[in-house]
Amino acid sequence: MKFIKAFTGGATRAFRSFKALLIIWLLTFSVLAVFSFPLKSFLNNALGSTASTSLLKDGFDISYFFNLGNSFVPMMSAISGGILIVLLIFFFLYTFLNGGLFDSLLANRWNYKPSDFFRSSTRYFLSYLVIMLLVILMITIVLFLVVGLPLIIQGAGSSGSEEATLKLVSILRFVVLLILPIFLLVADYARVWLAANKHCKIFKALGYGFKGTFKSFFGSYFFMLVMVIVQALYVALVVKILSGYTPDTAGGIFLLFLLSQVLFFIKLYLRALRYGGVAALYQI
Amino acid sequence: MKRIILPLFFLACFIYARGQVIFYEPMSERLTGYSMDVELDPETKTVSGSMEAYWVNNSRKWVPDIQMHMYLNAFSSNRSTFYNENHGSPGSSEIDYGWITINNIINHKGTDLKRHMEYIQPDDGNPYDKTVLRIILAEPVAPGDTALLYIDFTSKLPSNIRRTGFTDDFFFVAQWFPKFGVYETKGMRNVEKDGWNCHQFHANSEFYANHSVYKVRIKVPGEYIVGSGGQLISEEINDEGFKILNYRAEDIVDFAWTAWPGYKEYEDQWEHVKIRFLSPPGREDQVDRQFTAVKNALEYLNEHVGPFPWPHLTFVDPPAKGAGAGGMEYTTIFTSASAPRMPEFINMPDMVTVHEFGHSYFMGMLATNEFEEPWMDEGINSYWESRIMDHYYGPGKGIINHKYFWLSDKESQRMGYVYSSNRTVSDNSPYAWQYPHGSYGMLSYQKATTWLLTMQGIVGEETMDEIFRTYYKEWAFKHPSAKDFIKITNRVVTRMHGDKYGENMNWFFDQTLYGTGIVDYKLAGISNHKERSFRGMVNTDTAGMILRKDDMAGDTLYTSVVRVERLGEVKLPVEIKILFEDGTELTEYWHGKSRYIDYEYSGPNKIIRAVIDPDYKIPMDVDYINNSYTIKPDTVPQKRIIRKLLTFMQFLTHIISL
Ligand SMILES: [Zn+2]
């Protein structure tokens, strides 16, 4: 059963790539920490010696930060502008790190060296970047065709009631869920192929991405569908856990830090499992 | 007032004869009344028909003319005052425009008045604005006499719904018929001379009218479901398949109605009030919360202000395509605003329902002039909205009530004001369209709410209730002005508190309603110094000058100082709560008149925390964060927020990297 092989293969490969995962965690965490310094110092300055932070004790009173008055607006625009920049930087960073990760997953051994990780990351960066951009472009076009167009057509018909729109939206949501794994498979097979053949031939890789996806379609597809669902459920679970935990002591904050990083590491592992599963399918 | 009894009696009989009576004792003077027979044509988007209308001259002067609102003409061109103010346009094709024409107008003797009409622009002289019509009467109306007009008119609804209009087969028909202005007499609302008060249709502000009797017969295609501000007297389908509805309304300031084949109808009852709710399909899950919201508002305002007298009430949640009609108030019919699948924790639809219902008091019964004193309409009503929402939907969680994050109605109003960059640009005295720099909404809704809540913080909730109960008792179904409200406030406050707040509350109104300053108190700092035992040179008889060192007797004593500053111009009394390290607390009262005050204490305990206005009684204070000071700040909450934000970013960046 390919389906089962993908899971077991993915799980063990991801496990054996723990060094790669540690590198990814450390790097991304450090970059993010750098970005958080200005926010921290801003808040410390703005709040000073106030006793009012107790208002935030058991949750988030939305109006609280409006009291920061004149400094609030520039801070908010800095944050929202900052988030865009951070997203962009991380898109590049992960594209870079994925080169090493795929290489490590394909190598599938305990003694995979960090130097190999960075060599592969550097080697595949540009081709991975182009593949990602092309896959995102494809997803955008398909989303427009499957989601945008029906909604526009439905909205244009003046008789279109809210009820019908709601039904359409829930159907489309389902359709998107079904379509998304295909593109992820294309992206993953293309990247695996590049890393396995030590090539930088982007279009050939994309061609293989499609070929690999449809070669043994159902095995790959169901593996990916399950992975997408599992990761979505996992993120929902994390949101529930972390939003429910509101520590009010310094020790609690440290626990929150540990907990959040363990949860994030599991997220990294699940992604590596997906990549590793495709690598296992490729190497069967 | 005796003079007007006779014609009123005559008119009352004339109108009562054909309908059912709602109030056997009129609630208002009923200086105007309308009997209309109209038909909706869904193809041409018009409402046309005939109207008999009366106006009673209750002044001591002969009045030669009548002024009427022709609101729909605001949509007749992009140069109307309405579109000049909001920089919009009615649309591109003919069907988009809205207008109203009088096809025929005669007086009770049959004299044609059509050639004696002209459009006037009392507010801005804009010749393109045709929203106020002046009709020169064939003969002036004597004091106590009644003018009767018979008018045939056609109203074309606009496609771009602003308060009124259509989308496809959805119609919200408001501000749609020729409607009398208010003839004001000297002294009323403190005006200096008699005359018509009839403002043009503006982008902001809608209402000022006499309480009237309406008898309206509406004809629509059979499949339409209709809701109106009237009590339904009869409904039938005629031989041609049209639906004929007869409505009667009493003592309301405007009559609006809606028609759409798609409505689902629901009914509920609150004490004597039969409530009807019209809602689009797909929002069945919101029906209960909508009824709850309106019943909450009914209950609260009945208890804290005065009775809601009408036995009928209709409210509407317009469908998405008619969303422009959402959030409007016509006393016995109003519109909420919502969307499909509105989450439970977002109390927006409930808030709009509570707000628009509230207008049946503040505007509907207490019929202020919204054009000239918008804060008395929107500000007072938003104040009550905030009280109702925060009362019923969890204290501090009136707008958003989620387990992990929340927002109170009071705070959301305060935020709108505090956060605004032009919060000091004007006081609350301008006419609605004269608020500078787009500050109308912020100042007339949110700042007014915030200073009313501040007044409540100072005099107390019970006193506020008493002020509004008196306001209701003395001014319901009349036309109060700001001065009238202030008079009542002064009277009630001195009756309940003596001279605790001075001989009156004018000092408060001068700084808030008529002032532009901000309130900002700051706890500038705390210091704790050990009291020192004496060490110094002393002259002794035996040894001359020697150094003496005293031992401190008993425990160490501290001299502690709390430094308080007033950064804003507005001077309000505040409380300051001081906490010592042994847990003792004490509260100081400061009149706030000077720029700063230092509180000094001497004792065995250090001060560890001091808070100005600990109970948030002064929401006008633009910065709560500087209201407190502690010698050991708790940084845990902000650390927690940063930590969670970072984790969120960690996951987000990972997810988008595919
Ligand atoms: Zn309002």
Side-chain angles (χ1 to χ4, degrees), chain A residues 44 50 67 162 242 245 261, chain B residues 283 320 414 625 638 650:
Chain A
N44 287 340
T50 186
N67 290 294
E162 279 173 40
L242 289 185
Y245 184 49
Q261 292 318 301
Chain B
R283 298 189 196 170
R414 177 178 166 263
I625 288 173
Q638 77 222 47
Q650 253 180 324

Side-chain angles (χ1 to χ4, degrees), chain B residues 189-190 362 366 368 373 375-376 379-380 383-384 448 451-452 455 463-472 474-475 479-493 505-506 508-509 512-514:
Chain B
R189 290 183 56 256
N190 299 290
F362 306 105
L366 294 143
T368 47
E373 295 175 309
W375 75 268
M376 295 192 75
I380 290 181
Y383 160 77
W384 282 97
W451 67 250
L452 281 161
M455 186 161 112
T463 310
M464 281 312 261
D465 287 0
E466 190 51 34
I467 289 168
F468 277 97
R469 284 195 196 108
T470 313
Y471 180 50
Y472 178 96
E474 296 182 14
W475 286 102
H479 306 288
S481 71
K483 295 259 175 351
D484 301 314
F485 179 77
I486 293 171
K487 257 187 229 160
I488 286 176
T489 305
N490 286 339
R491 218 168 63 214
V492 171
V493 170
M505 290 292 285
N506 291 353
F508 179 82
F509 291 109
T512 53
L513 163 54
Y514 300 116

Side-chain angles (χ1 to χ4, degrees), chain B residues 327 329 355-356 359 370 377-378 381-382 445:
Chain B
E329 66 275 19
H355 179 97
E356 304 308 340
H359 278 303
E370 191 190 4
D377 175 302
E378 295 299 356
N381 189 45
S382 299
Y445 285 67

Side-chain angles (χ1 to χ4, degrees), chain A residues 132-198:
Chain A
M132 291 305 293
L133 292 175
L134 286 174
V135 169
I136 287 171
L137 184 70
M138 283 188 272
I139 293 178
T140 315
I141 291 169
V142 170
L143 278 188
F144 175 74
L145 291 177
V146 224
V147 179
L149 271 189
L151 279 177
I152 290 169
I153 292 165
Q154 214 263 348
S158 57
S159 57
S161 72
E162 279 173 40
E163 244 179 340
T165 313
L166 282 178
K167 249 180 225 148
L168 185 64
V169 167
S170 50
I171 293 170
L172 291 178
R173 217 180 323 179
F174 190 64
V175 171
V176 169
L177 175 71
L178 292 183
I179 289 177
L180 193 65
I182 299 177
F183 289 97
L184 295 179
L185 278 172
V186 171
D188 290 1
Y189 270 118
R191 287 183 287 186
V192 165
W193 186 84
L194 274 180
N197 295 296
K198 315 242 180 261

Side-chain angles (χ1 to χ4, degrees), chain A residues 89-138:
Chain A
I89 288 173
F90 272 83
F91 181 74
F92 286 110
L93 185 60
Y94 276 112
T95 306
F96 172 77
L97 297 169
N98 278 341
L101 181 59
F102 270 103
D103 192 51
S104 158
L105 290 165
L106 277 168
N108 193 16
R109 50 190 157 79
W110 289 106
N111 56 357
Y112 183 78
K113 285 201 202 84
S115 56
D116 289 340
F117 180 92
F118 285 109
R119 193 170 310 126
S120 307
S121 290
T122 321
R123 177 190 275 171
Y124 303 127
F125 175 65
L126 267 181
S127 26
Y128 272 30
L129 185 64
V130 177
I131 287 173
M132 291 305 293
L133 292 175
L134 286 174
V135 169
I136 287 171
L137 184 70
M138 283 188 272

